[in-house]
Amino acid sequence: MEKGHLSPRRTWSASTIALVLAFVIVAGTALEAAASPRASVTGNAIVPSALRYESADVIVVGAGTSGIAAALSARKYGAKRVFLMDANDYIGGQVAAGVGTMDEGGYDKYDQRADGMWGTIVARFLAEYAKRGWPHASTCYGAGAAGRTVCIAPSVARKVYGQMLREAGVEVRLGVRVTPVVSGGRMLGVSWRNVTGTVAAGRVSSKVVIDATEYGDVLAQTGAPYRSGNGLGNTAGTAPAGHVQPITNAAIVKKYAPGAMPAALNLVGKPFPVAPGDPAPATTKARVLTYFASKVAIGGSTYNNTTKSAWSPLWHLQYRGLPNPPQAPYLAKQTWRITRTALNWANDYPRAAAGDLGGKALSVRYLEDAGYRWRINCRAKLRTIQFVWYMQNKLGQSAWSVANDEGFNTPYNRANRCAGTEVSTRYAAFEAAMPTLPYVRESRRGIGLTTVAAGQIQRVPTGEAVEGPFGTTSPLAARNQPLDTIAVGYYRSDLHGTYGPADVELELESASDYLSSVAGVPTTGPFAIPMSALVSKEVSGLIFAEKNISASRYASGAMRLQSETTLIGAAAGALAARSVRWNRAPVDVPARAVQFDLSRKGTFLAVNHFLDVPRWAGSTVAFELSALYNADPGETHVSARPSVVVTRAEAASWVRRSTELGDGD
């Protein structure tokens, strides 16, 4: 046989075939790239004006977990000029809001912290604490050993994020309110004006804008239709409707040394905090304290109790416990040693049990009416101040109050004080030390090319892909994940109330689809997030990130966590960069190109977890891409079998399935 000819009987290892197949999967994409002009998208022409005019390859609006990941990713994958813009002047989003106790789907053998951008950022967080003398950040969620949880203070996250953005060359513009510029259904960029400091305004041109805001504010202003609660916005004949989940001002509190607490933060023996003009302060006090006592009380139980009784004060401190350098390291299980934590348990707002809003849930008006949103945010601040009073006066924790060293007293924070309306000016010192934004669990949600619903992310509580009793993706789901998967989520659907029949989007799912557990077992484990849910159906150049991707309320409850929003942001940035490099609208960028970019940089794309190849091995990328495209449907979803011999005929069938070629091609 002449050199270079193949014998029908010749065989190769599965590893070799997988590597070749991965190349074949992206080969068509590479040819498309070669035929496409590699020009930056600069948007419309700049018109001379007194305003400041600039151009960018990619604009990211929202400097939270997803927006930061999107900006970093866009730069990593080739966008030359990336702007990250936010009205807030304290970066970090929900981590900066005090929710730096990371909710990871860590019950299975998936090492979520090895996954792409999320793994990179967590490693930087831990490295920063190591420099401060803390070898771990396992201070929350009852962690009993170093490394089991990641719990980050807002100021640490702010520093690390800032360092990463500077290293990447992202141009960060904070304290600016952004308005999208759209013409003929196409993004042309954004206009902006300062909301803090010197009055200034300008415009940045770009054909690619990523909405990573906390509330989906950009997509609402584009005129594109969107979901809000269980209704529709920007859609003739309909209106946003239903309810959204409660919010929380997750203030950081710490244990002050004797004599060190500022007098204004000491509420021992002081009147119970109520809103100015409260017509029945005694009734309010009794109602709220009764509610608090049902959640945290002296003599209460521990976190993992089965009786649903109140937690003990110390166990409450460890729930969102945080490291506190330069003090000696402690673990969450060492509750008596914890000296810094975030408040997020009894202080959600509103709560019917506390009589809030007349016993009603939070209306979708919270997303749609900026003035109403501000008032609710103020009431959430008051609820947290009330809980600090409860800690000091009823739980024996008189040395605890809001931490005044997280750097929250920023111009943006001062501009959004409650001005003596919902919170008395006597608590100004509290407001100055509270997060610049609340913990927001729900957003407007864009309408993309596809919409992810609960039925597409459901998992079973046990399975062969993992060791242990917790959830995993079933073999059927693994073999039917979307071909345009650009991120893998891990968490269960977690909605705080408002998930009954009255708040369901009936065209997408029913109340019976809300499965946060099966037979009492949490349904955690991997599920696929498709690229088509990140691309606007109506506005060219608009990409969704953060909590506003195209999903039902139930599905979004599993994708609103820090790790998921980070991975979604990274995918959005990679898509934006490809759009710029090829001078194509995001909707016209093949998913395979983005998948190739992400996977070769360590992002997991298959819900399969091969137990016989390490996830950090270079060859695993090829196996995951092969599994994603169902190259070998006879395989299980847990075994790559890298040393198995594959015949030429088998290899050809793999290629045909992966590239959708027919037998005669």
Side-chain angles (χ1 to χ4, degrees):
M1 183 175 64
E2 294 180 1
K3 183 177 181 180
H5 288 209
L6 295 178
S7 165
R9 301 177 62 184
R10 186 169 180 175
T11 59
W12 301 271
S13 73
S15 293
T16 301
I17 293 299
L19 288 169
V20 172
L21 185 59
F23 173 79
V24 171
I25 287 173
V26 299
T29 296
L31 291 174
E32 290 184 80
S36 302
R38 300 281 182 133
S40 294
V41 178
T42 57
N44 57 323
I46 294 175
V47 180
S49 168
L51 299 179
R52 183 177 179 181
Y53 281 82
E54 299 170 283
S55 63
D57 286 345
V58 177
I59 300 171
V60 182
V61 187
T65 54
S66 202
I68 291 170
L72 293 172
S73 183
R75 285 287 293 150
K76 175 189 290 188
Y77 295 113
K80 294 181 179 178
R81 196 174 191 194
V82 177
F83 279 26
L84 177 63
M85 312 179 80
D86 200 318
N88 200 338
D89 54 8
Y90 195 111
I91 64 172
Q94 295 305 291
V95 175
V99 199
T101 48
M102 308 304 185
D103 294 313
E104 299 171 294
Y107 294 116
D108 54 28
K109 276 190 68 176
Y110 261 76
D111 185 1
Q112 186 173 5
R113 280 176 227 155
D115 195 345
M117 182 70 74
W118 177 245
T120 299
I121 289 174
V122 168
R124 291 289 295 264
F125 286 157
L126 296 178
E128 178 62 27
Y129 273 121
K131 288 192 294 185
R132 302 183 186 200
W134 280 62
H136 65 84
S138 298
T139 53
C140 58
Y141 299 152
R148 294 293 297 167
T149 57
V150 177
C151 322
I152 309 298
S155 56
V156 173
R158 182 191 195 188
K159 178 180 179 180
V160 170
Y161 279 139
Q163 289 172 336
M164 295 181 74
L165 291 167
R166 286 191 295 273
E167 292 166 7
V170 175
E171 299 185 45
V172 180
R173 305 285 176 84
L174 302 179
V176 295
R177 195 168 305 282
V178 172
T179 302
V181 179
V182 183
S183 178
R186 295 181 178 275
M187 293 298 312
L188 298 181
V190 302
S191 61
W192 60 268
R193 64 179 178 82
N194 274 10
V195 294
T196 60
T198 306
V199 175
R203 179 166 169 175
V204 184
S205 300
S206 177
K207 292 180 182 177
V208 182
V209 176
I210 298 174
D211 182 357
T213 59
E214 296 294 333
Y215 301 100
D217 287 334
V218 170
L219 76 89
Q221 294 178 81
T222 64
Y226 61 88
R227 293 184 172 86
S228 187
N230 65 346
L232 297 175
N234 287 343
T235 303
T238 65
H243 302 101
V244 294
Q245 298 169 71
I247 65 170
T248 311
N249 189 288
I252 307 303
V253 294
K254 70 175 183 179
K255 186 176 184 179
Y256 284 86
M261 183 189 297
L265 301 181
N266 187 351
L267 300 179
V268 175
K270 305 288 179 60
F272 183 76
V274 295
D278 188 321
T283 300
T284 298
K285 176 181 178 180
R287 188 179 63 232
V288 174
L289 290 185
T290 298
Y291 171 69
F292 285 161
S294 72
K295 306 294 286 186
V296 185
I298 292 176
S301 186
T302 59
Y303 171 42
N304 293 309
N305 71 80
T306 58
T307 61
K308 304 297 182 182
S309 60
W311 291 353
S312 70
L314 289 181
W315 205 259
H316 172 257
L317 294 177
Q318 70 77 41
Y319 175 53
R320 297 278 188 177
L322 297 169
N324 196 20
Q327 295 189 26
Y330 48 74
L331 295 168
K333 67 175 183 177
Q334 298 168 311
T335 53
W336 64 94
R337 295 181 60 193
I338 294 175
T339 52
R340 186 179 294 262
T341 194
L343 297 182
N344 176 214
W345 178 246
N347 55 323
D348 288 359
Y349 186 89
R351 280 302 189 192
D356 302 328
L357 301 183
K360 297 179 181 178
L362 184 58
S363 166
V364 73
R365 181 184 175 190
Y366 176 74
L367 299 180
E368 303 299 327
D369 182 337
Y372 184 73
R373 183 192 299 174
W374 178 81
R375 294 206 307 272
I376 294 298
N377 288 350
C378 286
R379 293 180 189 183
K381 283 184 182 179
L382 178 61
R383 175 54 43 80
T384 296
I385 296 170
Q386 291 170 337
F387 190 80
V388 173
W389 185 98
Y390 180 68
M391 291 176 68
Q392 293 182 356
N393 288 276
K394 300 295 183 180
L395 297 181
Q397 296 172 330
S398 60
W400 286 81
S401 193
V402 290
N404 59 359
D405 54 2
E406 288 290 340
F408 288 135
N409 192 18
T410 66
Y412 179 84
N413 200 350
R414 292 192 290 273
N416 284 276
R417 298 284 171 80
C418 296
T421 53
E422 304 294 340
V423 179
S424 170
T425 54
R426 74 183 63 169
Y427 302 111
F430 278 85
E431 284 203 71
M434 298 176 86
T436 58
L437 73 163
Y439 179 11
V440 180
R441 298 176 174 89
E442 194 161 343
S443 168
R444 300 180 182 97
R445 305 182 309 284
I447 296 179
L449 302 179
T450 60
T451 297
V452 183
Q456 296 165 261
I457 67 169
Q458 285 177 353
R459 291 148 289 181
V460 294
T462 57
E464 70 274 26
V466 296
E467 294 178 358
F470 292 95
T472 182
T473 299
S474 67
L476 179 63
R479 294 189 182 122
N480 291 282
Q481 74 171 109
L483 291 183
D484 65 334
T485 298
I486 41 72
V488 173
Y490 302 83
Y491 209 70
R492 63 185 175 86
S493 186
D494 184 7
L495 270 66
H496 285 218
T498 69
Y499 49 76
D503 293 307
V504 173
E505 296 145 307
L506 295 177
E507 73 277 14
L508 298 174
E509 56 206 2
S510 67
S512 61
D513 289 322
Y514 184 67
L515 297 175
S516 61
S517 65
V518 175
V521 180
T523 51
T524 62
F527 64 88
I529 301 172
M531 191 174 87
S532 49
L534 275 62
V535 181
S536 173
K537 188 176 183 179
E538 301 290 336
V539 178
S540 177
L542 176 61
I543 300 174
F544 309 133
E546 194 49 54
K547 298 179 286 292
N548 58 37
I549 74 169
S550 184
S552 69
R553 292 190 68 236
Y554 288 175
S556 69
M559 293 185 281
R560 66 175 178 83
L561 293 312
Q562 305 94 327
S563 50
E564 278 71 24
T565 55
T566 296
L567 293 169
I568 288 168
L575 169 59
R578 276 283 184 177
S579 173
V580 169
R581 288 164 55 195
W582 288 2
N583 198 21
R584 295 183 180 185
V587 70
D588 295 324
V589 175
R592 293 187 182 194
V594 180
Q595 290 169 332
F596 181 67
D597 287 341
L598 291 168
S599 62
R600 67 190 179 94
K601 294 293 185 178
T603 297
F604 303 152
L605 295 179
V607 296
N608 303 47
H609 183 197
F610 299 119
L611 300 181
D612 53 356
V613 291
R615 300 215 74 158
W616 55 87
S619 62
T620 303
V621 170
F623 282 112
E624 289 209 341
L625 288 174
S626 300
L628 174 62
Y629 286 95
N630 199 24
D632 186 8
E635 284 290 334
T636 70
H637 73 296
V638 296
S639 176
R641 299 192 298 166
S643 60
V644 168
V645 171
V646 179
T647 67
R648 181 180 183 276
E650 288 172 327
S653 70
W654 283 20
V655 172
R656 281 197 298 272
R657 276 190 292 271
S658 300
T659 56
E660 300 178 349
L661 295 174
D663 287 337
D665 293 325

